[in-house]
Structures are given as structure tokens and as C-alpha cells.
Amino acid sequence: MSGDKKVAIVTGANKGIGLAITKGLARKFSGDVYLTARNEERGLAAIKKLKDEEGVTAHFHQLDIEDDESVKRIRDFMKEKYGGIDVLVNNAATAFLSDPEIAPCIGYDKPPSEPFSVQAEVTIRINYFGLRRVCGILFPILKPGARVVNITSDSGWLSLIIKKPDLKAKLGSDDLTVEELDEIMKDFVKAAEEGNHKEKGYGQSSYCISKVGISALSRIQHQIFEKEGLDKVVNHAHPGFVNTDLTNHKGPSNTDDGARSGIYGALLPPNTPVRGKFLWEDCREMDWVNGDFDYDYKPEREEKS
Ligand code: NAP
């Protein structure tokens, strides 16, 4: 074990916002930073790109958030080399460009690549249950004072997506458990298969539901951390509408802008009051449970971090 050296991990970091978060952390974090990717070749190419184009050094470790064994391998490596993990940024995610909620926002007008039921199964499996898997396996080795950021989205804004009052109340409840949340995510996939997801109050977007799930999960994780009393902090962060593959390159913000809230959450100082919060792209704390969603809510551009 390399003494007291700190370590940060970013998932899905071979491109897009994850790559920019890795770059920012490699510059600002006082410890080693791991760019992780499911595909080793793409991950190593990204490490080289950071070195050659930005002059920053990051380390690489393979991590597929859908694969138990892959997550266990990085857990064992981090435990052995660093005695645990100091920063975890759960960034990896997927979206179908033809997702009915996403497609109009990114000017995608081709027919759906997959039926809605398949989109639902894949998106929830990767975005929600993949992140759940990573947290389930890596949280036991988080060090005291660890910082976790779950990258979510304004697309997962509770009142925007969930219109049925009872479902909304359940998802925003302080009493919601991980098991209950898992069941809601599974129920959405089942409803998508049966074609009654809209009637059941889930709306029409698998991506949005997966991000609702991530924000609800972050709130539960926050309560668990607070009970532990070891200054472990989890926040859920929206990066903005960013120019990446996921948005068909239609987002107006660049990836450095998109990385801002994730980096902010990752570097919060000891005993920060910013705990269990939904962080907007400009790092403002937002009320995910009771706040209304305002499409015109523009980010503040001055630096908060
Ligand atoms: P992106 O460019 O498509 O990058 C997604 C990353 O996730 C890629 O590195 C991808 O790896 C990785 N990934 C997908 N499945 C994975 C798996 N099973 N295991 C490990 N990595 C996996 O997307 P992005 O726009 O940067 O998005 C980053 C995060 O920001 C996501 O959580 C997204 O939902 C969120 N977000 C983005 C926007 C936006 O406007 N772009 C807005 C709100 C929220 P591969 O290259 O191997 O596919």
C-alpha cells in the first residue's frame, strides 16, 4: 500500500464529460487520478490524449459498470494500492439518441434504433443498476472524508418527469429505501415492456427515469453516510447541456463547462455543508424534491469553486 496517498476514480472517462472531469481532477486533486473505461484501448488512448494535448497525467484502470468482476478488480486494486478510495465520480451512462424525450432536444429525427421496451431495459440496466453496482462494491472501501459525485441530469428533475403525485411523493420521500427504488426502476422496465409506462406515471423517456433513479439513490446514500458520521459526502450533479456523443453534439456547452459541477463535488473540503445536494451545472444547490423546473434557469457563469 502506498502510504497515505489519495486516489480519485472517474467512471466512463474515455470521452466526453468524464474525460474533462478526469482532466480537471488531474490538475486540482492532491493525489492520483484514475481514468476508467470499459474498453482498455479507448481508455489508454484517452490517457495519451490527456498527456499529449493537455500535459496532464492520469492513470488507467479498466472498469465496466455492468460487470461485477470488473468492479471487484478495481476495488481490490484500490484497497491494495491506496487503502481505499477518496473520490468516486459516477459519470458513465448511456442514452438512445431516439429516446422520445431526448430526440427533439438534439434534433434527432430518425426512427428509433430499438423498440422502447429495449431502450428501457438497456438504459436502466446501465445507468441505474450499473451505478448501483459500482456503489455497492466500492462504497465499503471509501475512506473517511470520501467524496462521491453521481452525475445526473436536469432530465431527471423529479417534478418534470414524474407527474403522478403518489409516485412523485414516494421517489422524493426521506423514507425511500434502496430496495424500494430498485423495485420502481424494475417496474418501469416492466411497464415499458407492457406498453403502459405513461399510464403508470413514468412518462416516455428511459434516460429521464434512469436519472430520476440516480438522484433518488443519491439522497438515500446521503442519509446512510450521515448516519455513519465519517464525513463521507455524496452529491448528484447536473453537467448542463453539453457537446458530446450523448447529445449528438447538439449541446451548447463544452466538456470543460460540463465538468464543473462534478469537479466541484469531488473537491469539497472537510466538513462541507454541501451534502446530499442536487448541484446545478454552475454548482448552485437545487431543491430536487420540491423545486419547480425552469427551462430558462440559466447557469451563473462566475466561478463558485
Ligand atoms: P458520452 O460522451 O456518451 O460518454 C459516456 C461515457 O460512459 C463513455 O465513456 C462510455 O464509454 C461510458 N460508458 C457507457 N457505458 C459504460 C459501461 N457499461 N461501463 C463503463 N463506461 C460506460 O456522454 P457524456 O455526455 O459525456 O455524459 C457523461 C455523463 O453526463 C452521463 O452520466 C450523462 O448522462 C450525463 N449528462 C450529460 C449531459 C450532456 O448534455 N452531455 C447532460 C446531462 C447529463 P464507451 O466510449 O465505451 O461507450
Side-chain angles (χ1 to χ4, degrees):
M1 197 173 102
S2 59
D4 292 332
K5 196 160 199 188
K6 290 189 167 191
V7 67
I9 300 173
V10 185
T11 70
N14 53 289
K15 65 179 182 179
I17 295 163
L19 182 60
I21 292 174
T22 307
K23 180 177 70 178
L25 288 181
R27 288 193 171 129
K28 293 182 178 169
F29 178 69
S30 54
D32 289 345
V33 178
Y34 279 75
L35 179 157
T36 74
R38 57 179 160 183
N39 179 286
E40 180 162 347
E41 203 177 314
R42 289 198 286 275
L44 290 172
I47 293 276
K48 185 170 180 330
K49 186 177 152 113
L50 282 183
K51 185 82 194 155
D52 293 351
E53 295 177 17
E54 305 286 345
V56 301
T57 301
H59 303 264
F60 175 72
H61 202 290
Q62 193 272 348
L63 175 56
D64 183 342
I65 67 167
E66 287 185 84
D67 178 1
D68 275 353
E69 293 312 311
S70 170
V71 187
K72 286 178 185 167
R73 273 197 299 278
I74 197 169
R75 175 199 63 193
D76 294 347
F77 174 83
M78 291 297 158
K79 196 163 179 216
E80 170 69 22
K81 185 157 170 137
Y82 298 95
I85 295 169
D86 298 282
V87 168
L88 171 63
V89 182
N90 283 307
N91 165 81
T94 195
F96 286 84
L97 297 180
S98 58
D99 180 294
E101 202 73 50
I102 309 286
C105 307
I106 59 172
Y108 189 86
D109 55 7
K110 297 186 190 125
S113 49
E114 306 283 355
F116 188 77
S117 58
V118 175
Q119 294 194 2
E121 191 278 318
V122 172
T123 309
I124 298 298
R125 171 160 49 83
I126 296 178
N127 294 5
Y128 176 77
F129 284 105
L131 184 145
R132 265 272 275 124
R133 170 179 294 103
V134 170
C135 294
I137 296 173
L138 297 188
F139 274 16
I141 65 158
L142 287 179
K143 295 183 201 167
R147 300 289 178 258
V148 176
V149 188
N150 295 329
I151 302 298
T152 186
S153 173
D154 60 353
S155 309
W157 191 259
L158 186 59
S159 62
L160 180 73
I161 303 304
I162 306 295
K163 301 293 184 197
K164 276 215 163 155
D166 54 340
L167 184 58
K168 187 176 153 208
K170 194 164 185 189
L171 283 161
S173 163
D174 288 342
D175 298 327
L176 181 70
T177 65
V178 177
E179 291 73 22
E180 286 167 344
L181 181 55
D182 285 354
E183 286 312 312
I184 294 173
M185 293 295 117
K186 287 181 195 163
D187 186 58
F188 164 67
V189 174
K190 185 163 167 276
E193 210 173 283
E194 292 166 353
N196 58 1
H197 47 283
K198 286 187 202 162
E199 292 87 317
K200 290 187 93 171
Y202 291 114
Q204 58 166 357
S205 167
S206 311
Y207 179 77
C208 294
I209 292 295
S210 75
K211 293 300 184 179
V212 168
I214 287 170
S215 281
L217 180 65
S218 306
R219 285 169 37 79
I220 301 170
Q221 293 172 335
H222 163 66
Q223 291 186 16
I224 295 169
F225 283 176
E226 289 302 290
K227 280 193 192 123
E228 277 181 40
L230 295 171
D231 193 30
K232 294 177 192 169
V233 173
V234 55
N235 291 291
H236 37 140
H238 164 57
F241 187 21
V242 184
N243 179 350
T244 67
D245 288 349
L246 189 129
T247 58
N248 206 18
H249 295 277
K250 293 293 192 290
S253 298
N254 64 38
T255 53
D256 288 332
D257 288 338
R260 189 174 159 201
S261 57
I263 294 170
Y264 173 76
L267 298 178
L268 288 166
N271 302 313
T272 173
V274 185
R275 316 167 83 87
K277 305 291 186 191
F278 184 107
L279 302 175
W280 198 249
E281 60 188 283
D282 56 9
C283 309
R284 263 185 291 186
E285 295 156 32
M286 307 286 281
D287 184 351
W288 181 78
V289 175
N290 298 307
D292 286 330
F293 187 83
D294 181 358
Y295 270 114
D296 296 325
Y297 195 51
K298 296 281 185 291
E300 284 173 0
R301 285 294 168 202
E302 69 269 21
E303 283 298 318
K304 188 166 176 185
S305 51

